[in-house]
Amino acid sequence: MNRQVMGNWMLVLALAVALGLVMQAPALAAAKQELVSAKVKQAPAGLDDAVWKDAKALEVPFEGKEKFAGMKAAVTVRSVYSGDNIYFLFHWKDANKSVTKGAWKYDGQQWAQQKGNEDRISLLFEIDRINNFASKGCTVTCHGAADAPKKEWKFATASAAEKGDLWHWKAARSDPYHYAEDGWLTVAGEKTGRKVDEGKGGDAKNMTDDKSKPKFMRDPAKTASAPGFLLAEEAVEITDYAVFKAGDVITYQMPKKPSGSQADIQAMSRYADGAWTLMLTRKLNTGNADDVAFNAQKKYSFAMALFDDSGDENSYDSEAMTLAFGR
Amino acid sequence: MDENREAATGGQRYTDRRGFLKTVVLAGTTLATAGIPLAAYFVSPALEKGGGRWVDFGAVADLNDGETAMLSFEYMVKDGWQVLPQRGFVWARRGPGEAVKVMSSTCTHLACNVIWKPERQVFECPCHTGIYDAEGRPISGPPARPLAVLEHKIEDGKLQVYLTA
Amino acid sequence: MTGSGKPSGGILEWLAIRNAVEKLGAQRVWSDALSWTRFTGSLALALLVLLCLTGVFMAFNYTPVPGTAYDSVDFAQFSLPFGGLIRGVHHYAWNLLLMVMGLHLARALVVAGYQPPRELTWISGLLIMLFIPVFIITGDLLPWDQKGFWSTQVRTSIMGSVPVAGDWMVRLLQGGPRTGIVALTRFYVLHLLVLPGTLLLLVGLHFHFVAHRGVSEPLFSTRERRQVSLFPTMVNRWLLLLLIITVALGAVAYLWPVPLGDPADPTDSNYIPKPEWWVLFLNQLVAIFRGPLMVLGTAVIPGALAAGLMVLPFIDRGPERHPLRRKAMLTVIAAIGLVLLVLSIMGYLEHYGPPPA
Ligand code: HEM
Ligand code: FES
């Protein structure tokens, strides 16, 4: 090559690189919050793993609705990915650990279900694009006639072509088995558009047919794998109610062992010093049609909801956010 | 002849062997550099094979013994980048006894939908009057092959049929 | 193969293109038509080739339907092999093309390449240049993302502010009052069919004049000018340039993946698009003149600039070409260039700089 042509090479390369840099700098200044999942070599082994320091924390604001209307909450979220898996770490203040979920209590005479719900956190991603979810968040998944009471509104997508991936960690019903319920969202059926993934899981109600007392107790032959909770797989039917004494508590909704696509999201949690710390782990791509498959090249919209000892309508909701992957 | 050409080109050789070889090499390299990604991009959607799925048609008990029923289906299919409903129907016949036979409604002639005529106990194709018997065997008209029998199973009393595409 | 100095004669004969190749081989062009100081034209050509190639292939995985358009671009970019690279090369190629064409124009201004007998070369070049933004404006809407959708709103409202015809022009362009499926289909057909076709004609015209009016003589080189054959010598240089730019843009697209924003939400007026670098000066012009004067910024000044460039060859007729001996002309050009640069910098600071305290 002669000098002239060499010159061209250099100039073109310089221009091309300058171009890349110029284009990169301001890029799209995001009005939305962006959670960047950091690429790490060593997967985090737990809630206090040093690797979490590599992940930039995102302070996500939440607005309360219904019972919590006018109130605010905040969750600190971090994420890393490594090998085949993605990890999320959530930390939020909560004055009380709530895991009652209507557990039975014996007062020496009678059984009664205690007041008290459970703490939960949930995430919604898109499997197939949900119209305007990226800009409006979970509000687009709320459907009902304008004059219908709130109770009759349905949590669903607007059409069968839109599909959400719902991660739902429940302190009393999924956490004892160290997982978060894995569901998906589609058009409303009779009730909601919420479906659970392929496989088994969920919980079983512990109640006699006359609804007056629990039907099951811990099987004495099995070791309790989740202290404080009665797991469906460790329960036996109660034959003699005389063994109970005043103050005894028995789980009402017994967690069932998850399997198949319902067991995709593993959880590790701790309640201490007035706050929950929770780690969720999932394969980037589970290969299941009812899960969002993460591609590290791409950005994803997601939104979260927080339930503080409350039922479905009473929650704190985040706005839509972006999940991006570090390189 | 050659001399004339050379004169016309100002005394230069009209073909430049090295130059032409360079063209071939450069064009080939450019073609490969740009062409391989472009070709892969173009071809890869073609590698996806159409899948099948088990579709639930509800309780087998709903089928009357000895009757041929039209069972409609609708399921979502992702076609490239668009999720679309696939709608259609199959013919199912129960009996004698517990035996169930599920047949495709697609005529084996030119793919119209065949219709069951209970009075005459035949499937009739509206397009070119093909006629099949109750078992889906062609009796008259253009169709030469029987209606496709679809794979099915019964789970928890529910009829599941394997539908492709 | 007779071995008598026509090595490929056999194949060429067989392909029945021997005459054509020989004719091409007999074409002589100045060696400096593609050189260290004169490469922007050839580079622009290479970029156009790349834009067409990547564009045609992207079109295989694209549907011009609101919403679905986004899904198709998303699918192509992330689910197909090289999808990100191909979209990236298209994206960076048009950005680089704008820069390269700016240089191409600037060079012609400095060395007076527009002077007779090259008036028509200059005018056809300007037409190409004015054409490229239409490509960008139509292409920007195609991915149906927030940025493209809301940038289109800004552009149509600027267009709509033109007195008398503005509103009508917008409705004609969009095929109605809103940016929906009719508008997207129009933009699509313009971007993929009408504009490339017209561009091909204009480029052909430009080359026709370049071939017949020649390129201007180098001003600063004392070396003797050489002629080389169009084929294969000049074609080889072009091919090399194309190869280099393909690899370079591929590398840029790999290192800095082009983003795909959120899908367009026409009901989300919270989204404020940022003007891209090449329209910053126009944006500032539009921002400076308000109210009844707005038309100055949106139509009069840009129109006057374009018209001024068009008539330049009839004002500065030469033969003096050396920049130092065309001080008056160059001062005017430099002043205008400076104003545009300052406007761009102001726009940059306003839209990308730190928020005002
Ligand atoms: C002067 C030439 C061209 C320019 C300046 C241009 C510009 C653009 C722009 C600005 C976009 C928006 C996408 C982005 O940058 O992220 C775009 C998209 C697109 N262009 Fe072009 N283009 C040109 C030529 C072509 C040609 C010749 C074709 C095909 C015949 C084509 C097909 C497409 C397609 C299918 C898209 C949508 C896909 C996407 O946005 O990723 N383009 N173009
Ligand atoms: S398609 Fe049925 S008979 Fe022709």
Side-chain angles (χ1 to χ4, degrees), chain B residues 4-159:
Chain B
N4 286 347
R5 281 211 194 86
E6 296 221 341
T9 58
Q12 296 242 339
R13 275 228 317 267
Y14 66 90
T15 38
D16 167 358
R17 180 201 283 257
R18 279 194 50 214
F20 184 71
L21 280 180
K22 247 194 199 167
T23 310
V24 171
V25 171
L26 281 169
T29 319
T30 312
L31 211 66
T33 314
I36 292 172
L38 291 173
Y41 178 82
F42 177 74
V43 169
S44 81
L47 303 179
E48 194 209 305
K49 294 194 184 69
R53 79 219 64 236
W54 287 101
V55 176
D56 192 335
F57 283 95
V60 194
D62 292 349
L63 300 174
N64 294 329
D65 200 353
E67 271 180 25
T68 300
M70 178 197 273
L71 301 178
S72 317
F73 60 82
E74 174 177 327
Y75 53 84
M76 306 303 288
V77 162
K78 188 148 196 175
D79 177 12
W81 50 84
Q82 197 179 23
V83 184
L84 282 174
Q86 298 284 307
R87 299 192 183 92
F89 58 88
V90 297
W91 293 108
R93 194 163 58 86
R94 183 152 149 236
E98 287 309 302
V100 173
K101 180 170 185 174
V102 184
M103 278 169 284
S104 159
S105 67
T106 307
C107 181
T108 57
H109 176 225
L110 293 173
C112 289
N113 276 319
V114 299
I115 304 295
W116 174 245
K117 299 282 169 187
E119 342 60 84
R120 291 185 287 135
Q121 294 285 302
V122 295
F123 290 103
E124 197 181 278
C125 180
C127 292
H128 318 96
T129 47
I131 308 283
Y132 301 82
D133 70 9
E135 291 297 323
R137 288 174 298 232
I139 310 175
S140 71
R145 283 167 297 120
L147 294 173
V149 175
L150 303 174
E151 191 187 346
H152 74 272
K153 64 184 180 189
I154 291 159
E155 253 174 30
D156 301 331
K158 294 206 168 134
L159 175 64

Side-chain angles (χ1 to χ4, degrees), chain A residues 11 32 129 135-136 327, chain C residues 39 71 74 255 262 265 267:
Chain A
L11 200 63
K32 279 161 72 180
R129 186 173 52 82
S135 46
K136 305 239 165 62
R327 295 232 268 175
Chain C
F39 67 94
D71 298 335
D74 178 323
L255 291 173
D262 286 334
D265 177 354
T267 63

Side-chain angles (χ1 to χ4, degrees), chain C residues 48 51-52 55-56 58 87 90-91 94 132 135 139 142-143 191:
Chain C
L48 282 177
L51 279 165
C52 283
V56 166
M58 282 199 294
R87 177 155 187 262
H90 197 77
H91 178 83
W94 68 255
I132 299 302
F135 254 107
L142 298 185
H191 190 88

Side-chain angles (χ1 to χ4, degrees), chain B residues 41 81, chain C residues 58 61 71-84:
Chain B
Y41 178 82
W81 50 84
Chain C
M58 282 199 294
N61 293 297
D71 298 335
S72 68
V73 173
D74 178 323
F75 173 84
Q77 180 165 358
F78 299 109
S79 306
L80 295 180
F82 302 104

Side-chain angles (χ1 to χ4, degrees), chain C residues 182-193:
Chain C
V182 186
L184 183 55
T185 306
R186 287 182 175 221
F187 279 44
Y188 170 73
V189 173
L190 285 173
H191 190 88
L192 274 85
L193 204 69

Side-chain angles (χ1 to χ4, degrees), chain A residues 104-156:
Chain A
W104 295 102
K105 192 165 186 178
Y106 189 53
D107 67 359
Q109 312 266 278
Q110 276 187 344
W111 287 93
Q113 277 188 271
Q114 293 170 283
K115 292 236 155 38
N117 210 306
E118 73 183 318
D119 294 330
R120 294 180 280 151
I121 190 167
S122 69
L123 288 85
L124 184 65
F125 295 94
E126 290 168 292
I127 299 174
D128 292 318
R129 186 173 52 82
I130 301 173
N131 218 8
N132 296 347
F133 177 71
S135 46
K136 305 239 165 62
C138 291
T139 51
V140 301
T141 59
C142 190
H143 298 271
D147 51 354
K150 278 277 152 56
K151 284 239 169 227
E152 283 167 25
W153 285 54
K154 291 169 178 173
F155 181 31

Side-chain angles (χ1 to χ4, degrees), chain C residues 36-51:
Chain C
W36 166 238
T37 50
R38 196 177 347 231
F39 67 94
T40 49
S42 303
L43 187 49
L45 180 66
L47 289 170
L48 282 177
V49 169
L50 268 186
L51 279 165

